[in-house]
Amino acid sequence: MPSRTVSHGASGRLRGLFLVMVLVFLEGSVFTVAVASSDQHSPITAHSGSHKATDHGSHNNTGKAFPVLDLNYENVRVPFEISLWVLLASLMKLGFHLVPHLSNIVPESCLLIVVGLLVGGIIRGTGETVPPVLDSKLFFYILLPPIILDAGYFLPIRPFMENLGTILIFAVVGTLWNAFFVGGLLYGVCQIGTESSSILSRIGLLQCLLFGSIISAVDPVAVLAVFEEIHINELLHILVFGESLLNDAVTVVLYHLFEEFSGIGSVTLLKGFLGVISFFVVALGGVLVGVLYGILAAFTSRFTSHTRVIEPLFVFLYSYMAYLSAEIFHLSGIMALIACGAVMRPYVEANISHKSHTTIKYFLKMWSSVSETLIFIFLGVATVAGPHDWNWTFVTVTVILCLVARVIGVVGLTFIINKFRIVKLTTKDQFIIAYGGLRGAIAFSLGFLLNKEHFPEREIFLTAIITVIFFTVFVQGMTIKPLVELLAVKKKQEAKRSINEEIHTQFLDHLLTGIEDICGHYGHHHWKDKLNRFNKKYVKKCLIAGERSKEPQLIAFYHKMEMKQAIQLVESGGGIKMPSAVPSTVSMQNIQPRPSTKPAPERAIPQLSKNKEEEIRKILRTNLQRTRQRLRSYNRHTLVADPYEDGLSDLFLKKQKMFQIEKKMNTYLTVPAPPPDSPTMCRARLASDPQAYSIKPASNKVPMIQVDLASPQSPDSVNLLDEFGQPPSRPREAKKPSEEDEAKDQQRLMRCLSDPGPSADEDEDGAFLP
Amino acid sequence: MGSRASRLLREEEIEEIKKETGFSHSQITRLYSRFTSLDKGENGTLSREDFQRIPELAINPLGDRIINAFFPEGYFVLVIFREDQVNFRGFMRTLAHFRPIEDNEKNKNPATEPLNSRTNKLLFAFRLYDLDRDDKISRDELLQVLRMMVGVNISDEQLGSIADRTIQEADTNGDSCISFNEFIKVLEKVDVEQKMSIRFLH
């Protein structure tokens, strides 16, 4: 009854929302009380000194009764408050998605800032001082790295590299232009537009330039937060996002440069020249540090086959160390982190287990999500905290100049870039790039770091920075989605890469490399080919364990596809249709649980019965990951020998053999009855003799068409294939001849189990190939 | 360059090539100097050996097929008649497929598409798969290409199943071969204009 369920759903959601709100307010009040009481505790502790500290351990001599229930907040204060903040952030995230339609209109970042404002307001309202939460150390060392690592690890390398020139030009030249334009004009306005006694006229040129360099950098956190909701096409996404990542080097250099100069007070040409050199040092040094740590991480992962549990830890630790090491030398930590993640990923993923890969993915997403939420909330709180110095002229001029600078910069640079690009950037693209230049918390933190002595106008700067951030995040963030719709900008393509695309793309790569060599033109493809060859010949041998190092990319891709399909097969539970025997309409699509628009198969497809599901689940459980609880429980007694509990690694070595055998049986089709305990039999057989897996086509148990795989197949023979022949040497297996799909399943799963590792490329949407 | 005076490119030739392929003057002259540097025999044409002398092409898995693509006639015709020389015109005509598509060339009359249109680029690639020119990529042809790209370590069965999978994904009319239209459809998401273009800029 649809009406009942609808109302139930709505009331369910309302109830949930109400609960969340109550929780939030409860917690918010607890928090403020905690903050308040902590301030009250401190004078008392100051009085009694060590008395209180040892109080809960020792008996009091003054004759008080033994404290059955004691309140000691001081000990747990810091972790408690941290946990409260994180809990608040997470509950907020929950709450937004419970409210219908809200997350469609307003981007999450805006809502989080508003929450921060509210919390700050509550704290202030209770009379306490708002804690300076957006401490620069906290921000740069704890909150920012997870987001950047998440971005760097999952960076789509191919589009990034193809557009690297464009990205670099936007990042470097664009940021420089923005900084000098905003800084210079601001100085001019301050000098000319105001009276000489006003505070504004006392702002020196260097201070203005420093302010310009802080405010001009596009912020990766804000861009990520807003762009991930609008699903824009890959090119634009990588352009804006890549720019936001790479302009860190420029920002770092300019910031230190101008800070130095303002401290010293004099600028010479030599210093300017040194500044340019330091830019290269910062950028390339950061990348170098990242690459070094990346190689170390890849090398370490080669030996982790016996200690799978701590594999993700290496990834996180090495990346964080790369970031911190770069920060030691004032190199660009962000670029180090990106380089580390991007370099280590292909090798680490070839080495680690599937579970570790999933762990890494989810931990990164979790940390970066929490960080992002916290950053925005803290922005709100810090806004309330102040200190503020509102100056109408300064703030409005800043906002306007930022916008104008960005637009002029993008248009001008695109004009130059288009001369060198094969696929030109259209006006729509330029508009989105310009409009997507959001500022965020990095600017604020950099401003916060400013020294009060050198910069007496620090508060004016902070206020202006916050205003610009608010403006970009709220106004631009909220309107970019409708604008994208309005301008009909190309959206992200949801489908994953098919094997066709992979093969043909590689084919085209080789073709283009060949043509470039014929023309004598050392272009993009030539160097990429050289790099790939070098990689294959030397690097992969060092960094990838075992036989995986020789596996061609195409095969790896194919394995991953099969694996995903198997997992999806099981996770969709019972009731899915198995592919029919219709020639050539049999494709991976039919296996998807989604309704497909393909013509109905000509054979009735039997449903997957419980036994087969159990078998499948058992295989996957022992080899890949835990299947969901909603599937029916498995039967332990059918599990014979399970040496591969946690070891896809062992499977790797046997993968090739397994695969060979699997390939004798053609995949996507129904097969005659498999033995019910065949998975274990398969493994047992594999352990002993792979040749026992021979095709015996002449079985009279199930009618079938035989295929000789060595010869090109006729269209008919693609239909039915005898995969599990019925060799007379296997009498102990009780067969159920009618359940063809089970064997098929297991076949596929076996194949999928031979998948050596996961890929994180296209993991976001659950959709498989179209 | 005395004995080669007759081999210098004349203005009329440049104009004709320009009209046919769309390359600019400087690009044509630049490619002509490349042509002559490859032409060791100095007879104004390139033979297969000239191409095979290019070192990187020898290690390219598709090297032979690319070389074949330059020679105008069909594969079988060449074997019989040994007419395996290509002049500069033919050289340019083949390379014209890789010129980047310019905006002012789009939306032209499809009957007179320039050599570097998307369809013609894809046709060029298709012909590299389809050796016997029957306008279909059969499983065998696909297997051959896969074998070239993947190397010797992978077993036949594995490649066979990849090939089958590939054909099944692409095949819409059920003939278990990939026709040109199916090929186009499969690659519709790939940015062919960018992937199959080389910047010949000066």
Side-chain angles (χ1 to χ4, degrees):
Chain A
M1 303 219 205
S3 57
R4 276 196 63 191
T5 47
V6 163
S7 62
H8 183 265
S11 69
R13 250 184 293 153
L14 277 178
R15 240 180 279 148
L17 179 59
F18 180 64
L19 215 61
V20 169
M21 285 303 172
V22 165
L23 264 172
V24 164
F25 280 121
L26 253 175
E27 177 214 319
S29 50
V30 167
F31 179 75
T32 50
V33 164
V35 171
S37 65
S38 73
D39 283 351
Q40 285 165 12
H41 252 212
S42 5
I44 304 174
T45 47
H47 280 315
S48 35
S50 54
H51 214 42
K52 257 205 182 279
T54 57
D55 204 1
H56 62 282
S58 61
H59 290 291
N60 211 329
N61 291 346
T62 58
K64 257 171 65 179
F66 182 76
V68 176
L69 195 61
D70 201 7
L71 179 71
N72 190 335
Y73 180 63
E74 269 309 304
N75 282 355
V76 295
R77 177 167 158 246
V78 172
F80 193 77
E81 286 179 6
I82 295 176
S83 308
L84 267 184
W85 277 116
V86 178
L87 193 59
L88 173 73
S90 316
L91 284 175
M92 282 297 103
K93 247 179 131 67
L94 271 187
F96 293 149
H97 290 285
L98 281 179
V99 180
H101 304 306
L102 187 62
S103 39
N104 290 341
I105 306 174
V106 187
E108 228 174 65
S109 37
C110 303
L111 294 170
L112 290 170
I113 295 186
V114 168
V115 167
L117 288 173
L118 277 175
V119 172
I122 293 177
I123 297 182
R124 187 166 253 186
T126 60
E128 299 301 327
T129 54
V130 183
V133 275
L134 204 52
D135 178 40
S136 292
K137 257 211 185 127
L138 173 74
F139 178 75
F140 280 114
Y141 295 136
I142 313 267
L143 290 179
L144 192 59
I147 302 179
I148 305 293
L149 179 61
D150 181 37
Y153 196 76
F154 295 114
L155 192 69
I157 296 285
R158 206 180 167 119
F160 186 76
M161 284 299 167
E162 282 175 6
N163 294 299
L164 190 61
T166 314
I167 294 177
L168 274 177
I169 290 186
F170 274 127
V172 176
V173 181
T175 312
L176 282 174
W177 157 260
N178 275 351
F180 283 103
F181 187 79
V182 172
L185 279 188
L186 210 53
Y187 180 66
V189 164
C190 289
Q191 293 301 96
I192 301 172
T194 64
E195 315 90 43
S196 56
S197 61
S198 140
I199 187 170
L200 283 187
S201 58
R202 271 181 267 133
I203 305 177
L205 176 63
L206 282 173
Q207 278 87 344
C208 277
L209 284 176
L210 179 60
F211 177 73
S213 69
I214 295 177
I215 199 82
S216 63
V218 176
D219 186 77
V221 180
V223 164
L224 264 178
V226 170
F227 267 52
E228 79 175 3
E229 295 178 10
I230 62 179
H231 298 301
I232 209 166
N233 70 48
E234 197 181 52
L235 173 68
L236 285 179
H237 187 252
I238 199 71
L239 282 180
V240 180
F241 183 59
E243 179 196 345
S244 69
L245 290 175
L246 293 186
N247 67 17
D248 180 60
V250 182
T251 312
V252 164
V253 170
L254 282 180
Y255 184 80
H256 286 299
L257 208 64
F258 290 131
E259 210 187 13
E260 243 333 273
F261 287 172
S262 328
I264 300 176
S266 71
V267 187
T268 66
L269 196 61
L270 180 65
K271 291 212 189 107
F273 185 63
L274 284 178
V276 172
I277 300 218
S278 87
F279 165 70
F280 286 105
V281 169
V282 162
L284 296 174
V287 171
L288 197 66
V289 168
V291 168
L292 221 68
Y293 275 99
I295 294 182
L296 272 178
F299 192 66
T300 313
S301 74
R302 189 181 163 181
F303 302 106
T304 57
S305 48
H306 300 289
T307 45
R308 293 275 181 202
V309 190
I310 55 174
E311 273 173 343
L313 203 56
F314 285 117
V315 171
F316 301 139
L317 282 176
Y318 276 112
S319 317
Y320 195 46
M321 295 275 290
Y323 182 76
L324 294 176
S325 309
E327 289 288 327
I328 295 178
F329 300 103
H330 274 213
L331 304 173
S332 167
I334 290 185
M335 293 182 79
L337 208 47
I338 302 274
C340 184
V343 163
M344 84 167 127
R345 182 168 162 215
Y347 307 110
V348 161
E349 287 201 344
N351 284 330
I352 62 179
S353 71
H354 186 83
K355 288 179 191 166
S356 299
H357 168 78
T358 313
T359 309
I360 292 179
K361 183 171 104 154
Y362 279 104
F363 259 86
L364 279 180
K365 297 285 175 202
M366 180 186 79
W367 272 332
S368 70
S369 174
V370 167
S371 275
E372 198 182 287
T373 317
L374 276 178
I375 288 179
F376 283 113
I377 292 188
F378 284 171
L379 257 183
V381 174
T383 311
V384 175
H388 286 302
D389 188 356
W390 181 270
N391 186 311
W392 276 104
T393 332
F394 195 80
V395 172
T396 42
V397 169
T398 308
V399 173
I400 297 177
L401 278 181
C402 278
L403 287 174
V404 169
R406 176 89 183 149
V407 171
I408 299 181
V410 168
V411 170
L413 284 176
T414 315
F415 182 70
I416 302 175
I417 289 173
N418 270 346
K419 296 207 198 305
F420 297 98
R421 275 182 74 87
I422 298 177
V423 176
K424 319 269 182 220
L425 295 173
T426 64
T427 323
K428 262 195 263 182
D429 295 336
Q430 294 174 37
F431 178 75
I432 296 292
I433 296 176
Y435 207 68
L438 305 172
R439 313 317 200 252
I442 292 186
F444 180 78
S445 308
L446 283 177
F448 209 75
L449 272 177
L450 286 176
N451 195 333
K452 184 83 178 160
E453 300 151 13
H454 295 158
F455 299 94
E457 51 280 327
R458 179 169 167 265
E459 273 109 39
I460 305 182
F461 284 175
L462 279 180
T463 315
I465 292 174
I466 288 195
T467 315
V468 172
I469 295 177
F470 271 44
F471 182 82
T472 55
V473 171
F474 277 93
V475 174
Q476 287 177 233
M478 274 204 269
T479 54
I480 199 166
K481 194 163 185 181
L483 272 174
V484 162
E485 306 278 337
L486 196 67
L487 293 176
V489 180
K490 263 195 337 187
K491 291 289 195 87
K492 183 162 80 164
Q493 291 154 352
E494 294 300 336
K496 293 196 194 184
R497 262 163 104 76
S498 67
I499 185 116
N500 264 288
E501 285 181 13
E502 179 73 22
I503 293 180
H504 296 316
T505 312
Q506 272 200 29
F507 182 84
L508 289 178
D509 276 343
H510 286 303
L511 171 62
L512 267 283
T513 311
I515 298 284
E516 278 190 1
D517 291 327
I518 291 179
C519 298
H521 169 79
Y522 285 154
H524 184 75
H525 290 93
H526 178 91
W527 294 115
K528 194 158 75 159
D529 191 57
K530 272 210 154 76
L531 184 66
N532 278 340
R533 243 178 259 285
F534 174 72
N535 189 15
K536 202 157 149 187
K537 200 159 166 203
Y538 299 112
V539 183
K540 272 192 178 169
K541 293 221 174 79
C542 291
L543 298 181
I544 300 185
E547 291 183 8
R548 297 286 320 275
S549 58
K550 298 194 207 74
E551 192 181 58
Q553 183 191 347
L554 205 57
I555 307 293
F557 182 82
Y558 183 63
H559 286 332
K560 287 169 202 165
M561 264 185 14
E562 293 272 271
M563 166 86 117
K564 279 192 197 134
Q565 188 199 317
I567 294 176
Q568 193 178 46
L569 199 63
V570 171
E571 285 188 351
S572 64
I576 56 170
K577 305 274 180 217
M578 299 307 294
S580 77
V582 174
S584 78
T585 58
V586 177
S587 70
M588 288 309 113
Q589 305 179 28
N590 290 345
I591 299 168
Q592 272 183 347
R594 290 163 208 228
S596 116
T597 53
K598 290 250 162 184
E602 64 187 33
R603 262 173 62 171
I605 302 167
Q607 301 243 359
L608 201 57
S609 80
K610 291 192 177 101
N611 281 348
K612 286 64 150 212
E613 271 191 56
E614 282 168 19
E615 302 277 18
I616 298 165
R617 232 174 288 123
K618 184 178 48 187
I619 302 167
L620 281 183
R621 188 192 66 81
T622 55
N623 286 286
L624 301 171
Q625 62 187 25
R626 305 229 159 254
T627 55
R628 309 233 186 96
Q629 290 308 313
R630 60 180 164 82
L631 296 176
R632 287 157 241 138
S633 63
Y634 71 98
N635 183 0
R636 297 178 67 200
H637 300 297
T638 56
L639 201 58
V640 174
D642 194 13
Y644 303 109
E645 175 59 39
D646 196 11
L648 222 40
S649 55
D650 303 316
L651 225 48
F652 293 176
L653 296 173
K654 304 214 172 20
K655 163 192 68 79
Q656 291 293 348
K657 291 209 178 98
M658 234 176 154
F659 215 82
Q660 281 168 15
I661 289 149
E662 298 304 318
K663 284 320 146 197
K664 285 186 188 156
M665 316 176 206
N666 221 343
T667 340
Y668 322 106
L669 314 158
T670 56
V671 291
D677 56 343
S678 55
T680 48
M681 278 314 298
C682 292
R683 268 188 299 204
R685 209 177 299 119
L686 276 174
S688 55
D689 179 25
Q691 298 312 316
Y693 240 61
S694 54
I695 301 177
K696 301 285 196 300
S699 156
N700 16 13
K701 293 238 170 130
V702 179
M704 62 197 78
I705 301 175
Q706 289 133 26
V707 172
D708 179 8
L709 277 167
S711 68
Q713 292 177 336
S714 65
D716 286 335
S717 66
V718 173
N719 299 345
L720 283 181
L721 188 57
D722 179 0
E723 299 204 7
F724 266 109
Q726 312 299 336
S729 58
R730 291 164 32 181
R732 38 198 274 224
E733 290 135 0
K735 315 243 184 337
K736 295 167 196 134
S738 54
E739 285 110 27
E740 304 167 350
D741 46 313
E742 186 207 3
K744 184 170 169 357
D745 252 322
Q746 287 159 351
Q747 286 311 103
R748 189 174 304 106
L749 289 166
M750 227 67 69
R751 217 175 347 272
C752 304
L753 292 180
S754 61
D755 175 65
S759 89
D761 286 320
E762 314 109 316
D763 258 339
E764 298 318 298
D765 30 315
F768 197 51
L769 302 170
Chain B
M1 296 249 274
S3 60
R4 298 168 62 160
S6 58
R7 284 289 133 218
L8 279 178
L9 213 47
R10 296 186 304 273
E11 272 304 315
E12 314 92 69
E13 273 192 64
I14 297 185
E15 284 304 312
E16 283 171 35
I17 296 178
K18 203 172 184 180
K19 218 167 18 160
E20 188 182 355
T21 61
F23 282 119
S24 76
H25 203 280
S26 53
Q27 289 168 350
I28 297 179
T29 26
R30 184 165 169 256
L31 286 169
Y32 187 69
S33 63
R34 174 70 179 170
F35 181 83
T36 44
S37 73
L38 286 176
D39 181 12
K40 296 291 188 293
E42 293 194 5
N43 50 0
T45 59
L46 291 178
S47 69
R48 283 174 199 281
E49 287 76 36
D50 290 323
F51 280 108
Q52 282 156 0
R53 231 174 266 128
I54 305 174
E56 293 90 355
L57 219 50
I59 46 178
N60 192 320
L62 300 178
D64 285 331
R65 294 202 180 201
I66 299 177
I67 297 176
N68 276 341
F70 276 89
F71 293 90
E73 314 305 321
Y75 179 74
F76 297 106
V77 177
L78 272 174
V79 165
I80 298 172
F81 291 110
R82 308 292 300 160
E83 283 292 334
D84 47 355
Q85 301 278 338
V86 59
N87 61 7
F88 185 60
R89 267 296 195 56
F91 185 72
M92 290 305 277
R93 206 173 294 130
T94 314
L95 286 183
H97 286 100
F98 296 94
R99 196 167 63 83
I101 300 181
E102 269 138 51
D103 284 335
N104 56 4
E105 286 177 345
K106 288 186 190 163
N107 309 324
K108 268 194 174 166
N109 182 0
T112 60
E113 262 176 14
L115 278 170
N116 65 340
S117 70
R118 184 192 167 99
T119 320
N120 281 330
K121 285 186 202 274
L122 285 172
L123 193 60
F124 187 84
F126 188 78
R127 293 234 171 94
L128 284 182
Y129 276 103
D130 184 24
L131 287 182
D132 56 1
R133 300 291 166 99
D134 63 351
D135 281 332
K136 283 209 280 263
I137 302 178
S138 70
R139 183 177 182 268
D140 252 351
E141 288 167 342
L142 190 59
L143 262 178
Q144 282 179 37
V145 172
L146 280 176
R147 173 59 68 193
M148 286 191 311
M149 292 207 294
V150 147
V152 295
N153 285 337
I154 311 298
S155 68
D156 279 331
E157 295 95 7
Q158 228 167 317
L159 277 188
S161 66
I162 297 182
D164 292 325
R165 171 66 170 265
T166 311
I167 292 183
Q168 277 178 1
E169 267 179 25
D171 201 10
T172 48
N173 62 354
D175 59 355
S176 74
C177 289
I178 306 182
S179 72
F180 184 52
N181 287 328
E182 290 159 358
F183 188 71
I184 294 183
K185 183 148 198 323
V186 161
L187 289 183
E188 67 185 355
K189 294 200 195 70
V190 173
D191 191 3
V192 173
E193 288 91 338
Q194 176 163 26
K195 283 206 76 57
M196 281 192 72
S197 301
I198 299 182
R199 278 194 289 269
F200 286 116
L201 295 178
H202 233 344

